[in-house]
């Protein structure tokens, strides 16, 4: 396996499970030192152990995207890494399907915190030193829900749409500092989050996906690796759906 990320440190949020875990393992395989930034300490320890078993290096950082203080502490610890942070991947996300009229303000505050405001605060803390180093990659994981909407996920769609727009805005500002910012939008992907989607809806998804199956977390991780590596040095502000063709946004 090519070690295209040797010498880089990558912070990956949500790396205890699903797409975040697959991303942490893939970036480590490509030679990156991985910081597993997570709410779930037990799951994160498992990811760190799997990376170590495969001959890579990784470390756990506590993170709760619903707490500004926790985000700041996580960023401070991350920035103390020798050589600094070269790659930030905002993968952690959360939500479940529910009619908008049944949503409570607590529910949508949590959805907005984990999917949009938390990633904004964490990125804000980490991107300044990247600007100074005149090098870096930020990859945000949004969702096709943020491009085309998703029934029963109204506020989640709003948060992910916000993350897509944040990607584009920051990409314009970061370009002059040598930092690329891009976004990956998974479609239905086989993870614990997806298992919470009602079965009827999951069946409907498979019928609607041109490639006739849901995605695997490793397939999303490959797209993230592309945006995290030098292979995408001339790509910024872009949104890539990894969704079996479910959405074909222009
Ligand atoms: N699985 C899908 O079908 C799908 C589709 C579109 C987009 N996505 C997006 O992909 C990303 C990963 O999703 P997944 O399916 O792998 O989910 P997952 O539930 O398997 O993993 C999400 C991870 O985020 C962590 N997390 C949750 N709340 C957190 C918090 N407050 N602070 C820090 N970490 C927290 C969890 O502990 C978990 O490890 C999310 O942003 C999700 O919205 C997933």
């Amino acid at each position: 396996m090519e070690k295209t990320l040797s010498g880089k440190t990558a912070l990956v949020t949500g790396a205890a499970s699903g797409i975040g875990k697959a991303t942490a393992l893939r970036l480590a395989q490509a030679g990156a030192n991985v910081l597993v930034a997570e709410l779930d300490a037990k799951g994160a320890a498992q990811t760190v152990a799997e990376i170590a078993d495969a001959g890579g290096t990784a470390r756990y950082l506590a993170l709760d995207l619903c707490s500004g203080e926790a985000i700041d502490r996580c960023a401070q610890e991350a920035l103390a890494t020798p050589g600094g942070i070269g790659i930030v991947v905002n993968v952690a996300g959360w939500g479940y399907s529910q009619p908008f009229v049944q949503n409570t303000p607590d529910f949508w505050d949590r959805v907005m915190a984990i999917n949009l405001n938390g990633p904004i605060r964490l990125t804000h803390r980490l991107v300044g030193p990247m600007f100074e180093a005149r090098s870096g990659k930020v990859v945000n994981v949004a969702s096709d829900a943020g491009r085309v909407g998703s029934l029963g996920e109204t506020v989640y769609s709003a948060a992910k749409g916000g993350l897509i727009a944040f990607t584009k805005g920051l990409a314009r500002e970061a370009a002059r500092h040598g930092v690329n910012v891009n976004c990956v939008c998974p479609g239905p992907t086989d993870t614990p989050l997806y298992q919470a989607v009602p079965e009827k809806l999951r069946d409907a998804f498979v019928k609607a996906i041109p490639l006739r199956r849901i995605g695997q977390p490793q397939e999303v991780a490959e797209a993230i690796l592309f945006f995290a590596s030098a292979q995408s040095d001339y790509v910024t502000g872009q949104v890539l759906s990894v969704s079996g063709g479910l959405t074909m946004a222009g």
Side-chain angles (χ1 to χ4, degrees), residues 13-20 37-40 63-66 90-94 110 114-115 141-144 156 160 185-194:
T13 73
S17 174
I19 294 166
E38 253 292 346
L39 183 64
D40 171 6
L63 172 68
D64 180 359
L65 288 163
C66 294
N90 287 303
V91 189
W94 180 81
R110 189 166 176 80
I114 297 175
N115 297 289
V141 174
S143 167
D144 271 356
Y156 175 83
K160 294 299 196 183
C185 287
T189 307
D190 191 11
T191 71
L193 184 70
Y194 182 69

Side-chain angles (χ1 to χ4, degrees), residues 3 15 25 38 50 57 80 86 99-101 108 154 157 182 184 188 197 220 223 227-228 234 238:
K3 301 281 186 198
L25 294 173
E38 253 292 346
E50 285 182 37
T57 58
F100 176 60
V101 290
W108 69 61
T154 299
S157 301
N182 289 290
V184 172
V197 173
V220 182
F227 284 134
Y234 195 55
Q238 302 305 304

Side-chain angles (χ1 to χ4, degrees), residues 2-10 23 26-34 87 137 224-231:
E2 238 190 311
K3 301 281 186 198
T4 49
L5 301 182
S6 281
K8 307 270 184 207
T9 291
T23 300
R26 188 66 186 91
L27 299 189
Q29 207 176 38
N33 170 40
V34 177
I87 299 161
K137 305 276 189 180
I224 293 170
L225 173 64
F226 170 68
F227 284 134
S229 75
Q231 284 180 307

Side-chain angles (χ1 to χ4, degrees), residues 154-170:
T154 299
V155 179
Y156 175 83
S157 301
K160 294 299 196 183
L163 193 61
I164 291 168
F166 171 65
T167 299
K168 295 176 182 176
L170 184 61

Side-chain angles (χ1 to χ4, degrees), residues 10 12 15-17 20-22 24-25 28 32-38 40-62:
V12 183
S17 174
K21 180 171 183 174
L25 294 173
N33 170 40
V34 177
L35 302 179
V36 174
E38 253 292 346
D40 171 6
K42 206 169 146 204
Q46 180 64 31
T47 302
V48 169
E50 285 182 37
I51 289 174
D53 284 350
T57 58
R59 186 159 67 91
Y60 165 59
L61 293 182

Side-chain angles (χ1 to χ4, degrees), residues 48-126:
V48 169
E50 285 182 37
I51 289 174
D53 284 350
T57 58
R59 186 159 67 91
Y60 165 59
L61 293 182
L63 172 68
D64 180 359
L65 288 163
C66 294
S67 155
E69 279 173 24
I71 293 169
D72 294 350
R73 260 197 313 275
C74 175
Q76 206 178 347
E77 272 190 60
L79 291 171
T81 308
I85 306 294
I87 299 161
V88 177
V89 193
N90 287 303
V91 189
W94 180 81
Y96 57 81
S97 185
Q98 183 185 67
F100 176 60
V101 290
Q102 289 173 20
N103 287 176
T104 62
D106 281 351
F107 171 78
W108 69 61
D109 283 352
R110 189 166 176 80
V111 169
M112 294 304 288
I114 297 175
N115 297 289
L116 180 61
N117 295 332
I120 288 175
R121 185 165 180 147
L122 183 66
T123 306
H124 182 258
R125 289 285 181 272
L126 299 176

